[in-house]
Amino acid sequence: MHVKAKRVALGGLLLAITIICMVLGSVIETSTLFLLAVASYFVGVIIREMGKKTGIAFYIAAVLLGFFVCPNKFYVLSFAAMGFYILAVEITFDLIGRMKGNKKRIFWSVKYAIFNLEYIPLVLVFQDFLFGRQLSTKLIVIILFVGQIGIFIYDRAYEYFQGQIWNKIRGKVL
């Protein structure tokens, strides 16, 4: 019973930190992407520590609570996209782990597919909302290319967070 209580407490603590990061993203405008990225990384932490079902519940709770608490709803939507990417990548990693063949190449291909299924329609459909105007084709191509670099950096930072930072904290928390 003690172990489950400890895990529930950890989940509640990480949910609180996630919401604090979303709210701080609204307050500290210069660090918004960093804070939203950190908040989304906790979705992966919960999945790895407590399983997929708990991770999905954590993600849904964070998005719903974010809409109630955070002053800037656009940041909650940004967190939702980032968190969904982490959720999908963690589930994909579990599924690909059971496959045969070149798993690393397949995994990276699926990661980019997941990202682009979110990113490309967002850039193409919501130009007025995101940029305040319709963009030229050349500028759209540049934005789509920069997004590919951005997801590589985001994903590497997530792997570093899980492998280095969370592993150091994990021993003290669990």
Side-chain angles (χ1 to χ4, degrees):
M1 189 64 156
H2 175 68
V3 174
K4 287 189 178 188
K6 202 174 197 180
R7 289 184 176 267
V8 169
L10 175 65
L13 180 66
L14 292 181
L15 183 59
I17 293 170
T18 299
I19 299 301
I20 288 169
C21 286
M22 278 193 262
V23 171
L24 283 177
S26 297
V27 175
I28 308 169
E29 293 286 334
T30 57
S31 299
T32 299
L33 278 177
F34 171 78
L35 290 166
L36 292 176
V38 169
S40 68
Y41 293 168
F42 291 123
V43 174
V45 168
I46 293 295
I47 291 171
R48 289 187 183 190
E49 296 297 330
M50 300 178 197
K52 288 182 273 191
K53 289 181 183 178
T54 307
I56 292 168
F58 179 88
Y59 169 73
I60 292 169
V63 171
L64 291 175
L65 192 56
F67 275 115
F68 288 120
V69 174
C70 294
N72 192 333
K73 305 309 181 216
F74 180 70
Y75 294 158
V76 179
L77 291 174
S78 299
F79 163 79
M82 292 173 158
F84 181 79
Y85 172 79
I86 296 291
L87 184 69
V89 163
E90 288 294 333
I91 290 171
T92 301
F93 181 77
D94 188 41
L95 294 173
I96 289 178
R98 300 181 204 148
M99 293 174 54
K100 294 181 179 177
N102 191 347
K103 295 177 186 179
K104 191 172 186 176
R105 184 171 286 162
I106 293 169
F107 186 51
W108 271 99
S109 299
V110 172
K111 281 182 179 185
Y112 274 97
I114 291 167
F115 169 73
N116 284 311
L117 285 172
E118 284 184 277
Y119 185 65
I120 293 172
L122 183 74
V123 170
L124 296 177
V125 176
F126 296 105
Q127 290 179 38
D128 288 328
F129 180 71
L130 292 172
F131 307 110
R133 62 184 173 96
Q134 289 291 320
L135 302 174
S136 67
T137 305
K138 183 178 178 182
L139 198 53
I140 290 174
V141 170
I142 291 170
I143 289 170
L144 292 176
F145 178 74
V146 169
Q148 305 310 306
I149 296 169
I151 193 59
F152 179 78
I153 294 167
Y154 173 77
D155 196 73
R156 298 300 273 176
Y158 173 65
E159 290 174 7
Y160 179 81
F161 177 83
Q162 284 286 5
Q164 301 295 319
I165 298 170
W166 178 248
N167 276 342
K168 289 179 183 175
I169 298 170
R170 183 177 192 261
K172 297 173 185 172
V173 174
L174 296 175

